[in-house]
Amino acid sequence: MLQKKEETISLGRYLFERIRQLKVQSIFGVPGDFNLTLLDKIEEVNDLTWRGNANELNAAYAVDGYSRVKSTDSSANGFGCLVTTFGVGELSALNGIAGSYAEHVGLLHVVGIPATSAQQKQLLLHHTLGNGDFTVFRRMSSAITQTTGMVADAATGPEEIDRVIREAYINQRPSYLAFPTNMVDLEVPKLSLDTPIDLSIPENDPETESEVLERVTELISNSKNPIILVDACCARHGATGEARKLIDLTKFKFAVTPMAKGAKYIDEDHERFAGVYVGTLSYPSVKEQVESSDLILSLGAMLSDFNTGSFSYSYQTKNVVEIHSDYTKIRSANYPNVRMKAVLQKLLESDKLKEAASKYKPVEVEKDPFPEEKKDELSKITQQWLWSKVSGWLKENDIVITETGTSSFGIIQTQFPKNTLGISQILWGSIGYSVGATCGAAMAAQEIDPNRRVILFVGDGSLQLTVQEISSMAKNKTKPYIFVLNNNGYTIEKLIHGETADYNSIQPWDHLKILETFKADDYESIRVSTVKELLDLFSDQNFAKNDKIRVIELMLDTMDSPQNLIEQAKITAQTNSN
Amino acid sequence: MLQKKEETISLGRYLFERIRQLKVQSIFGVPGDFNLTLLDKIEEVNDLTWRGNANELNAAYAVDGYSRVKSTDSSANGFGCLVTTFGVGELSALNGIAGSYAEHVGLLHVVGIPATSAQQKQLLLHHTLGNGDFTVFRRMSSAITQTTGMVADAATGPEEIDRVIREAYINQRPSYLAFPTNMVDLEVPKLSLDTPIDLSIPENDPETESEVLERVTELISNSKNPIILVDACCARHGATGEARKLIDLTKFKFAVTPMAKGAKYIDEDHERFAGVYVGTLSYPSVKEQVESSDLILSLGAMLSDFNTGSFSYSYQTKNVVEIHSDYTKIRSANYPNVRMKAVLQKLLESDKLKEAASKYKPVEVEKDPFPEEKKDELSKITQQWLWSKVSGWLKENDIVITETGTSSFGIIQTQFPKNTLGISQILWGSIGYSVGATCGAAMAAQEIDPNRRVILFVGDGSLQLTVQEISSMAKNKTKPYIFVLNNNGYTIEKLIHGETADYNSIQPWDHLKILETFKADDYESIRVSTVKELLDLFSDQNFAKNDKIRVIELMLDTMDSPQNLIEQAKITAQTNSN
């Protein structure tokens, strides 16, 4: 049956309507001639805005930060979307996309590609390798995405769009969608939009699931001193609500890994919170409590080197239950396809668990005091002192972003208030990520609650990779705090190797001029060198209010570093030379 | 036989000694913990310097510009080398590497990767996808490189290093070399360095080659009005010397394509130079002379859309000889593996050619006057006026870099003095390229002749993608001229689609603050709005001397564009919608 015009919409608009249904309100990316007509469709969608980035890598980082923040806005998973152009644009984004893949962040990478007619003729278009191969870039992306797809015609386009979105969303990984220029304006039935994309995670096989529940509840019943260890994939796959309920119901102690620090619902002011567990790099009390437990319930573990103190876990018990996003492992037994969220929900409903919980006698949580150094008011700031002071300045609902470097290690020493969201790229660890991520996070925060503060800690070295994204933050009227740790180069590298090597030095910048150069509307640029200057700033009520974009340069000694980073760097240098 | 210590060198040093043998004096890239010990080896090599870039994409652009400039320094091909780190670093460079692949620029991409021991254990290291796959990034690079390789042990390491270098050099394409951290300090015989890598291009099959020579000289003998068309691959594969000899010997007219404008030896002040041929977008006299010729000798053609006025060649003759870097085509006949440089050398020695040349009666070269607009001194600069004025300011030996946008189209209207080197990325067309390329070109110029000026024309939109590379230029004490065409956004995109669309707008910057923010040592920042201001600047002898780094902001109306770009944009919009 022929559709009347009003009953159809363009395929381009169909895509963005679907994206909007996943609570996405911002689209990231950079325009290019193969995506321009597609970008026109964004403004046809209610409450959807194009946020231009300064380049594609930054756009990929931004959508990652955006997706992470949006996951805190509802019980849904996070999601985001960036649009780039064929070849030149999409390849620039790959490092960012790979990071989202490694760290389980859901997003869609849409690439505007040449018209199918030009592809069939193998035209030697600009942005091609000159060899008539129009699928090479999609193949490259397939290595770092959950799935790739292409809009090929009006008949199958909607289904293909739904498929790649679903795959990205339920697996919390990036997907890739190629959108030829001549597909954008093809008309498709509008009615399809009324049926939401099926975003349900497949149910666990009932028989296997009951076996898992039986074994887990048995281990729990027999345990005197269990601990719950919340890790990255628990946060990424939207299961921290269930984790929190498990904590509250059982009154078991819990710890987090660096990658789960500042996860939704996993509050550090909770009476059962034992601290951040990083193997041998943990504080003594955390290490002792985790490793002496007689049962470890590990939720969404991502056992990467920087997340585990270089694989230095040493549990005394063999009673380890690992619940992952797509399988469960109990001691040595694997249960494929027994997925975290569903199994946790069933566990919470289980009478055996409730019975075990009622019998459990809570073991007291021990905490090392967060290290606090007394410092003379006129002395210089040090990292050791800084990170404990940050604790006092943070507020509920803050979003705290740290860079792979001194800040992602230092922040472990900072105590987060309730509902603080922590963002850091511990596994992928691409320097420069945090600046792009802050751009996206700030836009998500703007959508959720403009009073929610977005706070970045980035080193002067990492800042140089992606500095222009501060311009995008200004363009989009966001009001983040950008703390630049000026320690005169790549300190994390210097700790690993080449302390005085020329390659670890950078051009010094005048950080206080950045916002002026980028013509931010209303801004503040502050340099802080001494203890007193920072204390004054942190007690200033005007400064506490996120009413403008700010750069705060913190002057630090070159080799001044958090102790855990110094130790990690030694191990890394050793691994590299073996 | 066991080697004595003094008879061996480390594998890491072996690599850089080999690179140095190809006249490379600068290494580009960004440090990362998987390449730090490798970077230590650079300073062990005589006259080889690490040039840190601000990020990896910029480093890839820089090495491309460097390689292009170095090709003008000798009869050798150009070459360059960049070093990145596993995963995060190398993926950021891919777009730049793909550009070098598309445009035939020879370079080596060295990637510091985890120790082979860590790979075998499939450790969940940072900078991995978390899936134990350590070859995934190499596979991604294989799509956009001539070859990929890995240093696997001391026995085969030197041979593997030589192989990837040779492949990159003789094919003038990027190669990829993975260098595990634990291979860097393995010792290998020093003696191997005494035998240079065999960089000779395979000889053509004598029989096929003579057939080609016979047919070509016959066509030449029968031609009354031939023309030589010099294109990109003639420059990239070091055959412009032969092309120039052919021009001088035969006295045939010649034209260039946009991608060969400003190629070495192909001087625009030559009496036989007819102009720049871009199909229908050419000046009338060039178009007429090329298309009415009875024989076209096309050298190194790269028939991409922007290089051909969107495939609008319309030769009247069927007598077309295409000599490519790796094959020759005469009318409809293909001769595989009859390579350009050798066949041109044989042609130059051929008696039949000399005879034909002696009988040839040179046809007068007709030239349209370069358009010159009279403008009131107080009126604003326009693109049409600007590009002709640039002609008068350029000097012999200048290096002129233009960005995909108004400048790469506008520069076609500029007449280049002798030995001007033109650099532009016409096929790949990645915006932001020119800023990185300028960084590398400036370093190559510094090595060849510090008085050689490096002049960049970049739009305000493109500048934003890679602005931090100006910091690297300052750090490395180079003195380029950076002309920023401030036309308030992505004008080339606006011409194609979305003139007033929000996605084509950018955050305005204060360009005069950039050098101050990046703490350049000695710099000048100038804003030019009127005709008089530019004329004054161009007649200023102090300004003509490249004794400091300069940013010159040229204020232009938003939609003011070179006429050829306006026409190209219309065709591109049409191709995209079909």
Side-chain angles (χ1 to χ4, degrees), chain B residues 38-329:
Chain B
L38 185 61
L39 299 187
D40 283 342
K41 306 304 173 191
I42 294 172
E43 64 181 22
E44 294 179 11
V45 179
N46 194 26
D47 209 12
L48 190 67
T49 307
W50 169 255
R51 313 279 205 165
N53 296 90
N55 67 38
E56 289 87 358
L57 177 58
N58 297 358
Y61 289 153
V63 70
D64 181 295
Y66 179 87
S67 178
R68 292 186 195 224
V69 173
K70 290 295 271 195
S71 74
T72 66
D73 189 27
S74 68
S75 64
N77 282 342
F79 206 68
C81 174
L82 83 159
V83 184
T84 63
T85 198
F86 186 65
V88 293
E90 57 178 306
L91 294 192
S92 284
L94 289 190
N95 173 23
I97 303 290
S100 303
Y101 182 81
E103 302 228 338
H104 290 250
V105 177
L107 60 91
L108 180 66
H109 183 196
V110 180
V111 181
I113 72 169
T116 47
S117 50
Q119 293 185 44
Q120 278 147 15
K121 289 181 218 149
Q122 301 200 311
L123 292 185
L124 202 61
L125 297 180
H126 62 289
H127 303 344
T128 71
L129 296 176
N131 57 7
D133 185 347
F134 284 83
T135 62
V136 54
F137 309 126
R138 178 176 169 186
R139 295 199 308 275
M140 289 170 76
S141 268
S142 69
I144 52 160
T145 51
Q146 182 68 31
T147 189
T148 70
M150 185 180 100
V151 176
D153 54 42
T156 62
E159 201 180 325
E160 180 71 346
I161 289 169
D162 291 1
R163 182 186 69 80
V164 294
I165 290 176
R166 173 183 157 76
E167 289 284 312
Y169 185 89
I170 68 169
N171 294 294
Q172 283 292 293
R173 289 262 166 109
S175 282
Y176 173 103
L177 181 69
F179 213 124
T181 50
N182 61 335
M183 294 290 131
V184 171
D185 283 308
L186 298 185
E187 294 286 316
V188 297
K190 194 175 181 179
L191 205 65
S192 330
L193 288 174
D194 294 346
T195 313
I197 301 177
D198 175 15
L199 299 175
S200 57
I201 294 167
E203 290 202 7
N204 294 329
D205 172 62
E207 210 165 313
T208 323
E209 191 176 63
S210 0
E211 189 179 324
V212 164
L213 288 169
E214 201 170 313
R215 287 201 64 192
V216 172
T217 48
E218 194 185 322
L219 283 169
I220 288 176
S221 303
N222 295 334
S223 165
K224 296 217 170 343
N225 186 20
I227 194 160
I228 296 168
L229 187 56
V230 182
D231 206 342
C233 278
C234 184
R236 299 291 191 277
H237 292 273
T240 49
E242 286 76 11
R244 172 63 181 266
K245 282 179 190 156
L246 188 65
I247 293 162
D248 289 341
L249 176 72
T250 59
K251 303 216 170 354
F252 295 167
K253 292 179 188 179
F254 72 100
V256 299
T257 64
M259 288 182 82
K261 181 179 165 72
K264 187 182 166 190
Y265 302 124
I266 308 300
D267 291 327
E268 299 191 358
D269 65 349
H270 195 287
E271 53 174 11
R272 307 301 299 157
F273 178 63
V276 182
Y277 180 60
V278 211
T280 53
L281 303 183
S282 316
Y283 285 123
S285 66
V286 189
K287 180 171 159 58
E288 166 62 22
Q289 288 175 96
V290 171
E291 296 180 356
S292 70
S293 287
D294 61 358
L295 172 64
I296 294 176
L297 297 170
S298 157
L299 307 182
M302 208 180 259
L303 303 177
S304 80
D305 51 356
F306 286 1
N307 201 33
T308 62
S310 279
F311 320 115
S312 61
Y313 283 12
S314 59
Y315 304 148
Q316 283 161 32
T317 180
K318 283 180 180 156
N319 294 330
V320 179
V321 175
E322 290 177 31
I323 304 184
H324 295 279
S325 63
D326 54 356
Y327 75 100
T328 296
K329 186 178 174 190

Side-chain angles (χ1 to χ4, degrees), chain A residues 276-318:
Chain A
V276 182
Y277 180 61
V278 212
T280 54
L281 303 183
S282 315
Y283 285 121
S285 66
V286 188
K287 182 171 159 54
E288 165 63 20
Q289 288 175 94
V290 172
E291 297 180 355
S292 70
S293 287
D294 61 359
L295 171 65
I296 293 172
L297 296 170
S298 157
L299 307 183
M302 208 181 258
L303 302 177
S304 81
D305 51 358
F306 287 1
N307 200 35
T308 62
S310 278
F311 319 115
S312 60
Y313 282 13
S314 58
Y315 305 148
Q316 284 162 30
T317 179
K318 283 179 180 159

Side-chain angles (χ1 to χ4, degrees), chain A residues 303-503:
Chain A
L303 302 177
S304 81
D305 51 358
F306 287 1
N307 200 35
T308 62
S310 278
F311 319 115
S312 60
Y313 282 13
S314 58
Y315 305 148
Q316 284 162 30
T317 179
K318 283 179 180 159
N319 293 331
V320 179
V321 175
E322 292 177 30
I323 304 185
H324 295 278
S325 62
D326 53 356
Y327 75 101
T328 297
K329 186 177 175 190
I330 302 175
R331 298 192 59 170
S332 303
N334 269 304
Y335 298 88
N337 298 320
V338 174
R339 296 180 181 81
M340 180 162 44
K341 201 172 164 88
V343 85
L344 285 179
Q345 284 169 351
K346 295 276 165 57
L347 184 63
L348 288 168
E349 291 158 13
S350 136
D351 288 334
K352 280 200 184 162
L353 179 78
K354 286 172 193 161
E355 195 189 322
S358 69
K359 290 184 184 160
Y360 171 69
K361 189 163 167 277
V363 179
E364 201 181 338
V365 178
E366 281 165 40
K367 281 191 194 178
D368 280 313
F370 271 76
E372 192 159 353
E373 218 180 326
K374 282 275 172 225
K375 286 190 86 69
D376 184 83
E377 282 208 332
L378 296 178
S379 62
K380 288 191 70 172
I381 306 168
T382 62
Q383 297 253 359
Q384 194 68 9
W385 179 83
L386 170 69
W387 297 109
S388 65
K389 283 300 152 200
V390 168
S391 307
W393 181 68
L394 293 182
K395 295 195 304 190
E396 282 190 22
N397 291 314
D398 280 349
I399 297 166
V400 179
I401 300 162
T402 52
E403 178 65 66
T404 303
T406 56
S407 62
S408 67
F409 284 84
I411 200 72
I412 292 174
Q413 298 175 31
T414 299
Q415 197 158 9
F416 281 174
K418 194 186 295 298
N419 282 332
T420 304
L421 177 67
I423 296 182
S424 191
Q425 206 187 42
I426 309 254
L427 167 57
W428 188 240
S430 182
I431 62 168
Y433 161 81
S434 70
V435 183
T438 297
C439 178
M443 289 169 198
Q446 217 178 35
E447 290 167 13
I448 296 168
D449 171 7
N451 292 320
R452 199 165 172 187
R453 304 191 306 180
V454 176
I455 300 156
L456 165 67
F457 293 95
V458 60
D460 55 342
S462 298
L463 174 68
Q464 296 201 354
L465 284 89
T466 47
V467 64
Q468 55 271 78
E469 225 43 38
I470 295 177
S471 161
S472 306
M473 296 178 211
K475 182 180 178 222
N476 285 282
K477 316 289 179 211
T478 60
K479 323 281 188 195
Y481 295 81
I482 302 165
F483 288 89
V484 179
L485 279 60
N486 186 347
N487 49 17
N488 190 31
Y490 305 118
T491 295
I492 186 171
E493 307 288 2
K494 290 175 186 174
L495 288 166
I496 295 171
H497 186 84
E499 180 174 333
T500 59
D502 183 50
Y503 53 72

Side-chain angles (χ1 to χ4, degrees), chain A residues 192-225:
Chain A
S192 329
L193 289 173
D194 294 346
T195 313
I197 301 176
D198 174 15
L199 299 174
S200 56
I201 294 168
E203 291 203 6
N204 294 330
D205 172 64
E207 210 163 314
T208 323
E209 194 177 61
S210 4
E211 188 178 328
V212 164
L213 288 170
E214 201 169 315
R215 286 201 63 190
V216 171
T217 48
E218 194 184 323
L219 284 168
I220 288 176
S221 303
N222 295 335
S223 164
K224 296 219 169 340
N225 187 19

Side-chain angles (χ1 to χ4, degrees), chain A residues 205-270:
Chain A
D205 172 64
E207 210 163 314
T208 323
E209 194 177 61
S210 4
E211 188 178 328
V212 164
L213 288 170
E214 201 169 315
R215 286 201 63 190
V216 171
T217 48
E218 194 184 323
L219 284 168
I220 288 176
S221 303
N222 295 335
S223 164
K224 296 219 169 340
N225 187 19
I227 193 160
I228 296 169
L229 186 56
V230 182
D231 205 341
C233 279
C234 184
R236 300 290 192 278
H237 291 274
T240 48
E242 286 77 10
R244 173 64 182 265
K245 282 181 191 156
L246 187 66
I247 292 160
D248 289 341
L249 176 71
T250 60
K251 303 216 168 359
F252 295 167
K253 292 181 188 179
F254 71 101
V256 299
T257 64
M259 287 182 82
K261 182 181 164 71
K264 188 181 164 189
Y265 302 125
I266 308 300
D267 292 326
E268 300 191 358
D269 66 349
H270 195 285

